[in-house]
Amino acid sequence: AQRVTQPEKLLSVFKGAPVELKCNYSYSGSPELFWYVQYSRQRLQLLLRHISRESIKGFTADLNKGETSFHLKKPFAQEEDSAMYYCALSGLVGNKLVFGAGTILRVKS
Amino acid sequence: NAGVTQTPKFQVLKTGQSMTLQCAQDMNHNSMYWYRQDPGMGLRLIYYSASEGTTDKGEVPNGYNVSRLNKREFSLRLESAAPSQTSVYFCASSDRGGAREQFFGPGTRLTVL
């Protein structure tokens, strides 16, 4: 079965500190992984996808097939990074997404 | 472009009442989705439509029905609402095929008393 696990419900860090949001997945096929973000009072939007291998707003994520992980990292957190972050898995029929439970990131000044 | 729009934004129902959540997209996307968002559970797929004229069940379809009215519109119906259906409902759309980005609507907050 396809599953995405985000072990932390809440991650609280100080401004300027490094951030790592953890994501592990279970999928027998070739996974396509995404990070979506939901800022306060805004709709859910794509942050980045592993296939693009890009850095968005200073965030990066590397797919580690050996550890079945896709952790989201940023070297220096900013207050505007505070949001709900969802890791999601695709590669399924119909481009369906399986989401993790989400992690709230709070960046304190 | 408005992207993905949903109506209503808020709704309160009594147990047993019915209602339809409306969703429309103006991006000419083939695929559309309905999710529910519950604390501690993330987003779970209720139903999806890979293309106009087709619909399929997702992870949590019980108590819901959908209609893909045309390429733009995808509605979600609760025939007999239950308190367990209290949630935030999101509609999304995407192009067909591959690792396509899904675009989300603003959500509908539904409370069933």
Side-chain angles (χ1 to χ4, degrees):
Chain A
Q2 303 87 17
R3 180 179 294 177
V4 176
T5 303
Q6 294 179 250
E8 302 136 331
K9 289 186 179 179
L10 171 66
L11 183 63
S12 188
V13 302
F14 283 102
K15 177 182 173 182
V19 171
E20 183 178 49
L21 298 169
K22 291 184 166 53
C23 172
N24 288 91
Y25 67 90
S26 173
Y27 183 55
S28 57
S30 182
E32 294 163 349
L33 276 298
F34 303 80
W35 278 98
Y36 279 80
V37 61
Q38 188 173 27
Y39 300 103
S40 180
R41 296 188 178 84
Q42 295 187 27
R43 60 184 70 190
L44 196 66
Q45 59 188 281
L46 178 67
L47 179 63
L48 55 78
R49 70 190 90 186
H50 92 269
I51 199 169
S52 301
R53 305 180 70 83
E54 57 198 347
S55 173
I56 302 293
K57 298 184 178 181
F59 285 98
T60 59
D62 291 319
L63 179 61
N64 186 323
K65 291 187 178 181
E67 295 184 357
T68 59
S69 68
F70 188 56
H71 302 326
L72 184 67
K73 300 177 183 178
K74 184 170 183 177
F76 308 103
Q78 299 173 310
E79 289 181 74
E80 54 265 35
D81 296 329
S82 295
M84 171 72 90
Y85 291 80
Y86 289 102
C87 183
L89 166 73
S90 186
L92 308 169
V93 172
N95 193 31
K96 295 181 291 184
L97 287 174
V98 175
F99 284 87
T103 298
I104 298 170
L105 174 63
R106 288 201 184 128
V107 181
K108 301 176 287 188
S109 57
Chain B
N1 287 351
V4 180
T5 57
Q6 293 182 235
T7 56
K9 291 185 179 179
F10 302 94
Q11 184 71 50
V12 179
L13 295 177
K14 294 181 180 178
T15 297
Q17 288 185 318
S18 63
M19 79 161 295
T20 300
L21 307 183
Q22 305 287 352
C23 173
Q25 53 91 9
D26 61 4
M27 295 173 283
N28 201 36
H29 285 164
N30 288 298
S31 303
M32 298 185 74
Y33 313 83
W34 275 106
Y35 296 90
R36 58 178 290 172
Q37 181 187 43
D38 301 292
M41 305 193 75
L43 280 79
R44 292 178 293 168
L45 184 66
I46 305 171
Y47 270 92
Y48 71 102
S49 171
S51 62
E52 186 179 355
T54 68
T55 61
D56 286 286
K57 295 179 180 179
E59 182 185 353
V60 289
N62 290 347
Y64 305 95
N65 283 301
V66 290
S67 295
R68 183 73 183 267
L69 305 170
N70 47 55
K71 192 171 186 179
R72 289 187 65 249
E73 299 172 290
F74 188 37
S75 62
L76 178 72
R77 182 161 178 83
L78 287 71
E79 291 290 353
S80 179
S84 60
Q85 294 178 305
T86 293
S87 186
V88 181
Y89 291 85
F90 288 98
C91 179
S93 70
S94 75
D95 279 334
R96 187 194 299 180
R100 302 289 185 171
E101 176 182 358
Q102 290 191 13
F103 293 83
F104 285 80
T108 295
R109 187 173 296 273
L110 174 67
T111 301
V112 183
L113 302 174

mmCIF file of all heavy atoms in Angstrom, chain B residues 92-108:
data_model
loop_
_atom_site.group_PDB
_atom_site.id
_atom_site.type_symbol
_atom_site.label_atom_id
_atom_site.label_comp_id
_atom_site.label_asym_id
_atom_site.label_seq_id
_atom_site.Cartn_x
_atom_site.Cartn_y
_atom_site.Cartn_z
ATOM 1 N N ALA B 92 -9.382 19.967 -6.474
ATOM 2 C CA ALA B 92 -8.121 20.224 -7.170
ATOM 3 C C ALA B 92 -8.243 19.771 -8.614
ATOM 4 O O ALA B 92 -9.114 18.965 -8.961
ATOM 5 C CB ALA B 92 -6.956 19.500 -6.486
ATOM 6 N N SER B 93 -7.345 20.277 -9.448
ATOM 7 C CA SER B 93 -7.324 19.847 -10.845
ATOM 8 C C SER B 93 -5.884 19.746 -11.324
ATOM 9 O O SER B 93 -4.967 20.345 -10.741
ATOM 10 C CB SER B 93 -8.108 20.823 -11.727
ATOM 11 O OG SER B 93 -7.425 22.061 -11.847
ATOM 12 N N SER B 94 -5.687 18.974 -12.380
ATOM 13 C CA SER B 94 -4.351 18.849 -12.961
ATOM 14 C C SER B 94 -4.468 18.426 -14.410
ATOM 15 O O SER B 94 -5.498 17.893 -14.848
ATOM 16 C CB SER B 94 -3.508 17.821 -12.186
ATOM 17 O OG SER B 94 -3.916 16.502 -12.477
ATOM 18 N N ASP B 95 -3.378 18.631 -15.153
ATOM 19 C CA ASP B 95 -3.284 18.045 -16.479
ATOM 20 C C ASP B 95 -3.169 16.538 -16.331
ATOM 21 O O ASP B 95 -2.760 16.027 -15.278
ATOM 22 C CB ASP B 95 -2.046 18.570 -17.217
ATOM 23 C CG ASP B 95 -2.293 19.930 -17.828
ATOM 24 O OD1 ASP B 95 -3.468 20.241 -18.114
ATOM 25 O OD2 ASP B 95 -1.320 20.677 -18.007
ATOM 26 N N ARG B 96 -3.456 15.826 -17.378
ATOM 27 C CA ARG B 96 -3.388 14.372 -17.315
ATOM 28 C C ARG B 96 -1.958 13.896 -17.516
ATOM 29 O O ARG B 96 -1.212 14.474 -18.281
ATOM 30 C CB ARG B 96 -4.268 13.761 -18.398
ATOM 31 C CG ARG B 96 -4.382 12.248 -18.307
ATOM 32 C CD ARG B 96 -4.980 11.662 -19.581
ATOM 33 N NE ARG B 96 -6.316 12.180 -19.813
ATOM 34 C CZ ARG B 96 -7.054 11.810 -20.862
ATOM 35 N NH1 ARG B 96 -6.578 10.959 -21.730
ATOM 36 N NH2 ARG B 96 -8.250 12.313 -21.039
ATOM 37 N N GLY B 97 -1.581 12.846 -16.805
ATOM 38 C CA GLY B 97 -0.332 12.160 -17.070
ATOM 39 C C GLY B 97 0.856 12.680 -16.298
ATOM 40 O O GLY B 97 0.985 13.864 -16.050
ATOM 41 N N GLY B 98 1.743 11.747 -15.941
ATOM 42 C CA GLY B 98 3.007 12.135 -15.338
ATOM 43 C C GLY B 98 2.859 12.742 -13.968
ATOM 44 O O GLY B 98 1.808 12.677 -13.360
ATOM 45 N N ALA B 99 3.928 13.327 -13.480
ATOM 46 C CA ALA B 99 3.945 13.943 -12.152
ATOM 47 C C ALA B 99 3.450 15.370 -12.276
ATOM 48 O O ALA B 99 4.216 16.322 -12.171
ATOM 49 C CB ALA B 99 5.353 13.914 -11.574
ATOM 50 N N ARG B 100 2.151 15.485 -12.508
ATOM 51 C CA ARG B 100 1.592 16.808 -12.764
ATOM 52 C C ARG B 100 1.228 17.514 -11.470
ATOM 53 O O ARG B 100 0.660 16.903 -10.566
ATOM 54 C CB ARG B 100 0.341 16.676 -13.622
ATOM 55 C CG ARG B 100 0.589 15.989 -14.939
ATOM 56 C CD ARG B 100 1.384 16.838 -15.875
ATOM 57 N NE ARG B 100 1.532 16.240 -17.202
ATOM 58 C CZ ARG B 100 2.032 16.858 -18.250
ATOM 59 N NH1 ARG B 100 2.446 18.104 -18.141
ATOM 60 N NH2 ARG B 100 2.138 16.229 -19.405
ATOM 61 N N GLU B 101 1.492 18.791 -11.418
ATOM 62 C CA GLU B 101 1.106 19.606 -10.265
ATOM 63 C C GLU B 101 -0.408 19.651 -10.171
ATOM 64 O O GLU B 101 -1.102 19.797 -11.171
ATOM 65 C CB GLU B 101 1.650 21.017 -10.426
ATOM 66 C CG GLU B 101 1.218 21.979 -9.332
ATOM 67 C CD GLU B 101 1.745 23.373 -9.564
ATOM 68 O OE1 GLU B 101 2.472 23.583 -10.548
ATOM 69 O OE2 GLU B 101 1.422 24.261 -8.742
ATOM 70 N N GLN B 102 -0.922 19.520 -8.954
ATOM 71 C CA GLN B 102 -2.343 19.713 -8.721
ATOM 72 C C GLN B 102 -2.560 21.131 -8.204
ATOM 73 O O GLN B 102 -1.814 21.608 -7.345
ATOM 74 C CB GLN B 102 -2.878 18.683 -7.733
ATOM 75 C CG GLN B 102 -2.915 17.281 -8.335
ATOM 76 C CD GLN B 102 -3.683 16.297 -7.485
ATOM 77 O OE1 GLN B 102 -4.404 16.660 -6.564
ATOM 78 N NE2 GLN B 102 -3.525 15.010 -7.807
ATOM 79 N N PHE B 103 -3.596 21.769 -8.719
ATOM 80 C CA PHE B 103 -3.957 23.128 -8.320
ATOM 81 C C PHE B 103 -5.211 23.041 -7.462
ATOM 82 O O PHE B 103 -6.193 22.425 -7.870
ATOM 83 C CB PHE B 103 -4.200 23.997 -9.554
ATOM 84 C CG PHE B 103 -2.967 24.245 -10.361
ATOM 85 C CD1 PHE B 103 -2.529 23.320 -11.290
ATOM 86 C CD2 PHE B 103 -2.233 25.399 -10.183
ATOM 87 C CE1 PHE B 103 -1.378 23.530 -12.033
ATOM 88 C CE2 PHE B 103 -1.083 25.633 -10.917
ATOM 89 C CZ PHE B 103 -0.650 24.694 -11.839
ATOM 90 N N PHE B 104 -5.163 23.684 -6.315
ATOM 91 C CA PHE B 104 -6.226 23.533 -5.331
ATOM 92 C C PHE B 104 -7.136 24.754 -5.253
ATOM 93 O O PHE B 104 -6.711 25.896 -5.472
ATOM 94 C CB PHE B 104 -5.625 23.274 -3.949
ATOM 95 C CG PHE B 104 -5.090 21.891 -3.789
ATOM 96 C CD1 PHE B 104 -3.842 21.549 -4.287
ATOM 97 C CD2 PHE B 104 -5.849 20.905 -3.164
ATOM 98 C CE1 PHE B 104 -3.346 20.255 -4.163
ATOM 99 C CE2 PHE B 104 -5.370 19.614 -3.036
ATOM 100 C CZ PHE B 104 -4.125 19.289 -3.537
ATOM 101 N N GLY B 105 -8.391 24.476 -4.904
ATOM 102 C CA GLY B 105 -9.331 25.526 -4.597
ATOM 103 C C GLY B 105 -9.148 26.010 -3.168
ATOM 104 O O GLY B 105 -8.340 25.471 -2.420
ATOM 105 N N PRO B 106 -9.922 27.018 -2.767
ATOM 106 C CA PRO B 106 -9.771 27.611 -1.431
ATOM 107 C C PRO B 106 -10.375 26.785 -0.306
ATOM 108 O O PRO B 106 -10.117 27.052 0.863
ATOM 109 C CB PRO B 106 -10.502 28.947 -1.560
ATOM 110 C CG PRO B 106 -11.514 28.702 -2.629
ATOM 111 C CD PRO B 106 -10.891 27.742 -3.590
ATOM 112 N N GLY B 107 -11.165 25.802 -0.633
ATOM 113 C CA GLY B 107 -11.743 24.939 0.391
ATOM 114 C C GLY B 107 -13.144 25.336 0.799
ATOM 115 O O GLY B 107 -13.550 26.495 0.679
ATOM 116 N N THR B 108 -13.892 24.338 1.298
ATOM 117 C CA THR B 108 -15.217 24.536 1.890
ATOM 118 C C THR B 108 -15.183 23.944 3.291
ATOM 119 O O THR B 108 -14.862 22.768 3.459
ATOM 120 C CB THR B 108 -16.311 23.827 1.074
ATOM 121 O OG1 THR B 108 -16.410 24.422 -0.217
ATOM 122 C CG2 THR B 108 -17.652 23.913 1.801
#
